[in-house]
């Protein structure tokens, strides 16, 4: 009986997984260079956490969460994003008492029950970073520059960072009223969803991808005209600092985000080639969130990238051959020696594959070639007899009788390879 994977949940096969590992390790290295440290938060939370943070009247909370009643009656949800969980953990462990500023990053699966299509899945992976404890524009700019660094490092062609200011609790109410006033005059043109949410959350109307709603809202007021002086100054400084650091940011006055916790700086990162799902990442400032989740009044700002979308948008990854040694034992006599040699080499940090001793040398060579091995270590009767392997350099198509006895240390063996004109293989996969 064939049982296929659940719709929108996909397998990541080894080739794609290699690419993901490259992207993930670039992001992790970058986060650490910016002095972020990793936090691992659970994939399930109380559903109320997301309603209180992302917002009751967002698509994510209204329609897309995987929510279920646990056996003890509590209502649990698979996390649709990481920020709420990081803030929950920050409050739960009183991290604000331990350090004035926390810079935390995370990587892992998120779940949203959206309609699956290219670059949009129901289980997807995010790489995210959050700064808690700083409200100055320099840190918003630092996050945006980090975004730019990642795009460059991954070779994302024509990546674009768009930003807007969403104002604060002082200036947004007037904008909300103006938007509401405008939307009421166009309610007949709005989709059912927007018409229903109109009074509750008019900002959501700016986020609707329905063509008629977009048309109806094209002339709507923009937040820029309602920003209070401190918000305006904050945004100008963010833009000046990112420009000074050499990152290009396009101001997009209609940009809003699909989550309600944002204030002031909000941004989205797009790349061509992704179809309708062109956002590879997004983020912004969320100053009221820590307090809304029961903590002190600590500001926050962050970003998250979608790994699947980064993988589509990133440039070519020229990986080093993943496999350094392929041990080719010929006949049952050689089997034990092959396993012993492989283990010792692996212990010294190189990657090794051992083939079955029952296959011919020719078929073993074919497989070594297919796996992209750098060297084949041939262990036949003759080699066992003299206690040393024959080394085939796969790139140069040359065989060398190795002078180092099998009983010697793997380090001596690797040294001997260098004497033969073979480079010492890099340690670790793909290094
Ligand atoms: P978001 O814009 O909802 O923001 O998601 C961030 C990124 O996750 C998107 O730009 C996209 O690349 C990816 N993504 C979202 N949904 C899907 C999906 N169904 N399939 C594939 N990829 C997807 C947040 O989640 C915020 N927590 C970001 C943030 C961090 N803001 C402040 N700190």
């Amino acid at each position: 009986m064939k049982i296929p994977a659940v719709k929108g949940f996909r397998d990541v096969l080894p080739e794609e997984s290699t690419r993901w590992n490259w992207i993930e390790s670039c992001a992790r290295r970058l986060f650490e260079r910016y002095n972020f440290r990793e936090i691992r938060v659970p994939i399930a939370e109380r559903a109320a956490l997301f309603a209180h943070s992302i917002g009751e009247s967002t698509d994510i909370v209204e329609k897309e969460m995987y929510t279920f009643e646990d056996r003890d009656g509590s209502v649990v949800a698979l996390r649709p994003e990481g920020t709420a969980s990081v803030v929950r953990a920050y409050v739960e462990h009183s991290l604000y008492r331990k350090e004035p500023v926390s810079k935390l990053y995370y990587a892992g699966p998120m779940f949203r029950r959206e309609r699956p299509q290219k670059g949009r899945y129901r289980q997807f992976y995010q790489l995210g970073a959050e700064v808690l404890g700083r409200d100055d524009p320099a840190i918003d700019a630092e996050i945006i520059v980090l975004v730019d660094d990642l795009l460059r490092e991954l070779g994302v062609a024509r990546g674009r960072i768009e930003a807007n200011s969403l104002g604060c609790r002082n200036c947004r109410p007037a904008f909300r009223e103006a938007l509401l006033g405008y939307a009421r005059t166009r309610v007949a043109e709005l989709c059912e969803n927007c018409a229903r949410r109109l009074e509750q959350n008019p900002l959501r109307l700016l986020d609707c991808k329905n063509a008629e709603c977009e048309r109806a809202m094209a002339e709507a007021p923009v937040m820029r005209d309602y920003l209070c002086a401190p918000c305006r100054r904050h945004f100008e400084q963010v833009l000046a600092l990112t420009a000074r650091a050499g990152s290009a940011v396009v101001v997009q006055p209609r940009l809003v985000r699909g989550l309600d916790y944002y204030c002031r700086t909000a941004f989205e990162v797009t790349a061509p080639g992704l179809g309708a799902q062109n956002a590879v990442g997004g983020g912004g400032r969320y100053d009221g969130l820590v307090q809304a989740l029961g903590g002190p009044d600590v500001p926050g700002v962050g970003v998250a990238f979608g790994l699947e979308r980064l993988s589509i948008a990133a440039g070519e990854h020229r990986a080093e051959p993943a496999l350094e040694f392929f041990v080719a034992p010929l006949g049952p006599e050689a089997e034990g020696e092959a396993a012993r040699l492989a283990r010792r080499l692996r212990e010294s940090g190189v990657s090794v594959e051992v083939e079955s001793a029952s296959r011919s040398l020719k078929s073993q060579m074919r497989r070594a070639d297919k796996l992209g091995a750098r060297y084949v270590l041939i262990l036949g009767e003759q080699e066992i007899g003299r206690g040393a392997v024959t080394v085939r350099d796969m790139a140069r198509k040359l065989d060398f009788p190795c002078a180092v006895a099998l009983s010697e240390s793997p380090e001596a063996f690797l040294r001997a390879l260098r004497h033969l004109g073979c480079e010492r293989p890099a340690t670790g996969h793909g290094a």
Side-chain angles (χ1 to χ4, degrees), residues 81 83 112 114 119 121 126 130 257 261-262 279-281 302-303 306:
E81 58 112 47
T83 311
R112 295 183 194 175
E114 296 188 79
Y121 309 101
Q126 277 189 353
E130 314 289 349
R257 306 265 301 123
Y261 49 60
Y262 292 108
V280 293
V303 61

Side-chain angles (χ1 to χ4, degrees), residues 60 80-83 106 112 114 119-126 129-130 257 259 261-262 268-269 279-286 301-309:
I60 297 177
E81 58 112 47
T83 311
Y106 52 92
R112 295 183 194 175
E114 296 188 79
R120 188 162 77 189
Y121 309 101
R122 290 179 173 178
Q123 175 177 327
F124 60 99
Y125 283 72
Q126 277 189 353
E130 314 289 349
R257 306 265 301 123
L259 307 94
Y261 49 60
Y262 292 108
E268 248 168 28
V269 194
V280 293
R285 179 160 281 289
Y286 47 86
V301 58
V303 61
F305 296 94
L307 186 45
E308 290 81 356
R309 296 187 194 173

